[in-house]
Amino acid sequence: MGQGKFIVLEGLDGAGTTTQLEKLAGKVRALGMPVLTTREPSDGPLGLLLRQALSGRLSLPAGRGPLSAETLALMFAADRMDHLHAKVRPALDGGTVVICDRYVLSSLAYQGATVPMEWVNELNREALAPDLTLFIEVDAETAATRRQLRGAPAELFEEDGLQRRIAAQYRRAIRLRGGSEKIVRVSGAEGIEAVTEACWAHVEALLHKRAKR
Ligand code: TYD
């Protein structure tokens, strides 16, 4: 059995990565290949801490507000290494296709909006490079409208001005990493099915490359 492929979905909050993750996983499964869907923050112990920090349950003492951006950057990087060792690598080694909702680019775009991106990149130096990253591109306004429709309580990074800055940081992050790993930008402005088809063309090409080897 060969090594599985590692595929990552990225985008602003409201870009639709979670919807596309399930659609793509269904299509891989239909080819008869084993597939694992996962996400970051992970569902491991460090990921649970991060989700508490994002929802405001975990914060600085004496009402001094959220954890610092540096603390969060370190926690996201630590969660990522734990996620790789606990879940992603074992699945890839067993020949499973792993599709992950958010990964290093999220750290570069989100934490890189408030701390130097180069430092965040360095923290993530040992993180396994994905075989393919699909960046689902929507403008900050579209993403905001979709978040409102979803109706869930706003999390730490979901303020509109910050999302516009994160959108710009994603473009910088893609320039930073796009030279050494495969990152594809897909327009997320079309309907769900059209976005799935656009993503699938790239996933299918990657999986066929594997099958031919
Ligand atoms: P999200 O993926 O949208 O999950 P949910 O739909 O359960 O809220 O939430 C994760 C948030 O964490 C999102 O705002 C992006 C942020 N994030 C970072 O800031 N850095 C990271 O490295 C990762 C993986 C996520």
Side-chain angles (χ1 to χ4, degrees):
M1 195 185 309
Q3 182 80 2
K5 295 290 181 192
F6 183 27
I7 300 164
V8 169
L9 293 175
E10 287 279 0
L12 292 180
D13 294 275
T17 54
T18 309
T19 306
Q20 295 302 330
L21 180 93
E22 291 309 326
K23 299 257 175 206
L24 293 172
K27 282 174 154 302
V28 176
R29 234 173 257 124
L31 292 180
M33 290 183 179
V35 57
L36 171 76
T37 58
T38 186
R39 62 177 183 170
E40 292 192 355
S42 76
D43 55 11
L46 297 167
L48 292 182
L49 267 184
L50 273 165
R51 288 189 186 277
Q52 292 184 359
L54 293 172
S55 66
R57 281 287 301 279
L58 176 67
S59 55
L60 289 174
R64 289 204 300 278
L67 300 184
S68 81
E70 291 80 4
T71 306
L72 287 173
L74 290 161
M75 286 172 67
F76 277 114
D79 178 46
R80 185 158 298 126
M81 290 316 293
D82 184 56
H83 185 213
L84 278 169
H85 286 289
K87 207 166 167 181
V88 176
R89 276 191 185 278
L92 292 172
D93 290 345
T96 296
V97 175
V98 176
I99 313 182
C100 185
D101 197 348
R102 300 190 176 284
Y103 193 62
V104 176
L105 275 195
S106 282
S107 282
L108 297 178
Y110 285 74
Q111 281 61 61
T114 37
V115 298
M117 190 182 283
E118 290 67 27
W119 180 65
V120 181
N121 199 34
E122 189 58 24
L123 293 181
N124 285 279
R125 200 181 62 189
E126 300 301 319
L128 177 70
D131 294 297
L132 171 67
T133 298
L134 295 161
F135 174 60
I136 302 179
E137 197 159 26
V138 293
D139 57 50
E141 289 68 31
T142 307
T145 309
R146 292 195 191 155
R147 287 199 303 279
Q148 270 162 17
L149 289 175
R150 202 161 62 188
E155 288 196 325
L156 194 57
F157 302 119
E158 296 190 352
E159 188 261 315
D160 291 353
L162 181 56
Q163 286 282 314
R164 268 195 296 280
R165 219 161 74 231
I166 293 168
Q169 291 301 103
Y170 259 122
R171 291 192 285 274
R172 257 192 77 201
I174 291 169
R175 282 198 298 276
L176 184 67
R177 312 241 348 172
S180 56
E181 54 186 70
K182 187 160 173 67
I183 305 175
V184 178
R185 296 159 80 135
V186 172
S187 167
E190 325 302 326
I192 290 176
E193 299 305 327
V195 178
T196 306
E197 285 313 313
C199 290
W200 180 244
H202 297 284
V203 173
E204 204 180 19
L206 177 74
L207 298 179
H208 280 147
K209 211 160 69 193
R210 172 200 172 184
K212 277 196 217 119
R213 253 198 276 143

